[in-house]
Amino acid sequence: MNGGLVDVHPTQPVDQSTGSATGGAKRLWKPWLWCLVAAITGVSLAAGITLVGAYTKLNGNIKHVDVDATDLGARPAKVSKALNILIVGSDTRAGANVKYGHREVGERTDTIILAHMSPDRGNALLISFPRDSLVQLPACPRKNGLMGQRPHVGMINESFNFGGIGCTWKTIEALTGIRIDHFVKVDFTGFKSMVNALGGVEICVPKAINDTKAMLHLQAGRQLVKGEQALGYVRARYSLGDGSDIGRIQRQQMFIASMVKKAMSGDTLTDPARLFHFLDAATQSVTTDRGLTVSVMRDMLSSAQGLAAGNIRFVTTPWRYSLTQPGRVEWVQPQAKQLFHLVATDTKIKGSNIKTGRQTTKVPKSKIEIVVQNGTYRAGLGRQVAAALEQRGYTVVRIGDPKVKPQAKTTIRYATAGQTRVPTLAGDLVVSRNQAVTGTTTARLVLVVGDDWKGLKPPPVSDHDVKGIDATQDSCSAA
């Protein structure tokens, strides 16, 4: 999954020649982007004679916004041909959306997702950012009547209200270190139209819902929702689950998974009328940067036709509830930073089905006994190291001192003779000049802490940390 990018130029923040738009379409705000691409290709195959007219119609539907390179400031480097698309669900109350709260002022991001497509377009990852996240927000200039943003710690969705999509773009790049290729914005009314064009989306409700504020009235059980019901289901917060934004994100991810499955099904892809109807609804409902045209979207599918639903994965930025501001969340470190780094470098999340080179340990940590010896004159260091190892899952059987002090280098050795390599522990040290000596089959190690000791590496991000789902998830499995 790499965070590949493209150079940004004024009024054209995407270099189409990189193919950056080639696969990310499958992961957008409610996979409309993926479906959009699929639909274009489906129409071209099933009704090629009308392609020119369809292309002209669809291309004319899309609204574009310029994002100036100067507004984005210093940016992460482009490191591969991976595609990263910022998707925002807009909660503007203007126009057709007035009934969702006409007293609301301005336009905010109800949903923020970063869609990542691997360079080979064989895997897709959608990262959700809780809108209640307290983060460091960068400076953004005044623009298009917006007041701009001063650097401060605030909620992540403030950037859109203060500085528009360019400011949100800059904020996500600054927080993640992942360079963004395109953006897509979808509003309330547009979302409903896209769901209706698919013929509805299946959900599962554990108990009946009667939420007047969200305009949501549903019976318990598995059912097909359209229009207002679909929108109410993904927007509802206080009448479902624990009433948190996190609960809503999980529900949105399940909804997107159901939508992806339906969009990728034969019933949709082989029905030119349904495909075009969906395309027409989608293109009338979205705003993108100027680089993300219908022709670019069409090219996305050509390089990603082999993408399976099981390789489309949804995760949430690792988080915890804030201790200082009730109702807000903070990102858990180093897990969040590691997740972003894995995306930027296209490395698999340990234990997931997304491409990776990361290997799991062959020797369970719980089966390794460790003797910690403090080879320095730093009092208490042995106990600190032992505590850190136990938190990591190792068993520390003794803490002491080596026969000779001080030790310049940290070493790991077997307690007895017979082995030729050191399992597991070496990979957890920040600096380990390991001396693997002979040992028996016993997995007892002696860690001699030297003056070069710099601690343990941050634990690798795992499925346990991000608790993601893939697009094959059954809508009732998590109900």
Side-chain angles (χ1 to χ4, degrees), residues 264-472:
M264 297 178 73
S265 69
D267 290 343
T268 300
L269 297 179
T270 59
D271 186 338
R274 174 175 287 183
L275 284 171
F276 184 79
H277 182 42
F278 178 80
L279 272 178
D280 193 33
T283 51
Q284 290 185 56
S285 308
V286 301
T287 301
T288 75
D289 57 273
R290 293 194 181 278
L292 192 53
T293 63
V294 170
S295 62
V296 171
M297 294 177 190
R298 180 184 58 198
D299 292 341
M300 292 180 188
L301 183 65
S302 66
S303 64
Q305 290 184 15
L307 182 64
N311 288 338
I312 303 174
R313 193 170 180 84
F314 307 83
V315 301
T316 302
T317 302
W319 62 277
R320 65 177 169 232
Y321 286 113
S322 172
L323 298 178
T324 58
Q325 296 192 37
R328 303 291 183 248
V329 302
E330 299 167 348
W331 294 353
V332 175
Q333 300 297 354
Q335 286 87 344
K337 183 178 293 186
Q338 286 184 330
L339 172 63
F340 302 147
H341 177 72
L342 294 180
V343 172
T345 57
D346 206 53
T347 304
K348 179 184 175 182
I349 298 176
K350 181 179 178 181
S352 76
N353 59 0
I354 304 172
K355 160 183 156 188
T356 184
R358 186 181 292 275
Q359 301 296 320
T360 57
T361 178
K362 295 181 179 179
V363 181
K365 295 180 180 180
S366 61
K367 301 296 183 181
I368 299 176
E369 296 180 344
I370 299 178
V371 174
V372 177
Q373 295 183 348
N374 182 4
T376 76
Y377 289 116
R378 290 148 57 182
L381 181 59
R383 291 187 178 85
Q384 294 175 18
V385 173
L389 290 172
E390 289 176 338
Q391 288 178 350
R392 191 64 60 89
Y394 294 103
T395 299
V396 177
V397 294
R398 189 167 67 252
I399 304 171
D401 295 325
K403 293 181 179 180
V404 179
K405 280 189 178 183
Q407 300 288 319
K409 297 180 180 179
T410 297
T411 59
I412 305 172
R413 62 180 174 81
Y414 281 87
T416 51
Q419 286 282 0
T420 59
R421 67 183 183 85
V422 177
T424 307
L425 179 58
D428 276 328
L429 304 187
V430 173
V431 174
S432 58
R433 294 175 174 83
N434 307 309
Q435 298 176 352
V437 297
T438 56
T440 66
T441 56
T442 301
R444 173 171 286 201
L445 307 178
V446 177
L447 172 63
V448 181
V449 181
D451 287 332
D452 66 342
W453 175 258
K454 295 185 179 180
L456 301 181
K457 295 178 181 178
V461 174
S462 67
D463 279 1
H464 176 72
D465 295 318
V466 296
K467 296 181 176 63
I469 63 170
D470 63 43
T472 64

Side-chain angles (χ1 to χ4, degrees), residues 25-45:
K26 300 194 172 173
R27 338 180 57 223
L28 302 160
W29 179 188
K30 321 221 162 227
W32 70 267
L33 212 276
W34 185 91
C35 301
L36 180 61
V37 177
I40 294 172
T41 302
V43 170
S44 66
L45 293 176

Side-chain angles (χ1 to χ4, degrees), residues 203-221 223 225 229 232-241 251 479:
I203 64 170
C204 200
V205 180
K207 61 182 181 180
I209 300 171
N210 186 13
D211 187 336
T212 303
K213 183 175 181 179
M215 303 181 188
L216 182 63
H217 305 279
L218 297 172
Q219 296 179 349
Q223 56 204 288
V225 293
Q229 287 185 326
Y233 180 74
V234 298
R235 288 189 62 228
R237 177 168 180 172
Y238 302 106
S239 61
L240 291 174
R251 192 163 60 254

